[in-house]
Amino acid sequence: FNIVIMHPVYINNYISLINKIYFVTADHWNFQDKSLIDLLINLVQIKYFMDYKKLDDIEDQLDSTLTDTVQFIELEGLDEKELQIVNKSMKISNIKFIVQLYLNKYLDYKIMNNIIIELINFKTTHSIEALIEILNMCEVNDNVIIKNLSKLTKLRTSKDFDFRLNFIFGEALAKYG
């Protein structure tokens, strides 16, 4: 998981591997009484909460082994600027991974809908960048996007973001009508 977050070019390969492993071993693959998909969903949830919410709010609900795994991605030797770039990249990588899990039917429509609504409500640069990734990755006729299109369009008209980000967001929204 950490490699995928650090190197997003491997996301599609990782999803293909999950598909192959999961469908062959779905009834047999368990780790500490959790299925492969449950573990992956927990990992992306932890990373999502670390990126966009306060992890302390849900830490007692999460498996500490998984939390430690995600928190200790090695970033030694990076200066502050490089660290900011890597952290931003990892946030976007996690969103890409979440979308791929959704597109491959490992995440339910309701979960993806909640993520989109939360990102819309956060109204931060990082949440807009995440929404751009979601819009670019989903199909034009995806129900979760269609359901939230009016909220996304309203957010697009907001003056809270710089011109560059508004332009890129507008381009991503344009494919939906």
Side-chain angles (χ1 to χ4, degrees):
F1 175 76
N2 289 345
I3 290 174
V4 171
I5 297 302
M6 291 290 293
H7 306 286
V9 295
Y10 297 119
I11 290 174
N12 290 334
N13 293 340
Y14 196 62
I15 291 290
S16 295
L17 182 63
I18 291 166
N19 286 333
K20 290 176 183 173
I21 291 172
Y22 185 69
F23 290 116
V24 171
T25 64
D27 297 332
H28 308 22
W29 202 101
N30 282 318
F31 177 75
Q32 296 179 352
D33 297 324
K34 292 184 178 168
S35 74
L36 171 64
I37 298 307
D38 290 341
L39 284 171
L40 287 171
I41 290 170
N42 284 342
L43 285 170
V44 297
Q45 180 185 25
I46 291 166
K47 181 70 177 125
Y48 176 80
F49 277 97
M50 287 170 61
D51 292 342
Y52 297 100
K53 294 185 171 188
K54 291 184 178 174
L55 189 61
D56 299 342
D57 296 344
I58 60 150
E59 205 160 56
D60 58 325
Q61 302 169 23
L62 301 172
D63 181 343
S64 64
T65 314
L66 297 177
T67 309
D68 294 344
T69 300
V70 175
Q71 284 181 328
F72 295 112
I73 296 173
E74 283 201 34
L75 299 174
E76 292 179 17
L78 299 178
D79 65 29
E80 193 171 324
K81 182 94 170 143
E82 292 170 323
L83 201 55
Q84 288 175 345
I85 292 168
V86 169
N87 281 328
K88 178 181 174 181
S89 174
M90 289 188 326
K91 284 180 182 184
I92 296 299
S93 295
N94 192 50
I95 291 294
K96 287 180 179 181
F97 190 59
I98 289 170
V99 173
Q100 282 298 334
L101 288 172
Y102 167 71
L103 294 174
N104 282 275
K105 312 258 185 278
Y106 293 117
L107 281 181
D108 187 58
Y109 165 88
K110 289 185 250 179
I111 294 170
M112 196 64 203
N113 187 56
N114 288 341
I115 290 171
I116 290 173
I117 289 169
E118 284 180 348
L119 290 171
I120 289 170
N121 291 333
F122 289 148
K123 295 182 182 177
T124 65
T125 300
H126 293 300
S127 67
I128 297 299
E129 290 170 344
L131 287 166
I132 290 168
E133 286 301 325
I134 292 169
L135 290 168
N136 286 334
M137 292 178 72
C138 287
E139 296 294 322
V140 174
N141 58 355
D142 191 281
N143 290 333
V144 76
I145 301 296
I146 292 169
K147 181 179 180 182
N148 291 293
L149 200 53
S150 65
K151 293 175 191 165
L152 290 163
T153 304
K154 185 178 177 184
L155 182 62
R156 163 66 174 94
T157 60
S158 165
K159 303 291 183 205
D160 298 333
F161 309 104
D162 66 25
F163 176 77
R164 179 196 65 83
L165 196 59
N166 265 330
F167 178 78
I168 296 169
F169 189 51
E171 289 293 307
L173 265 176
K175 95 176 192 186
Y176 295 95

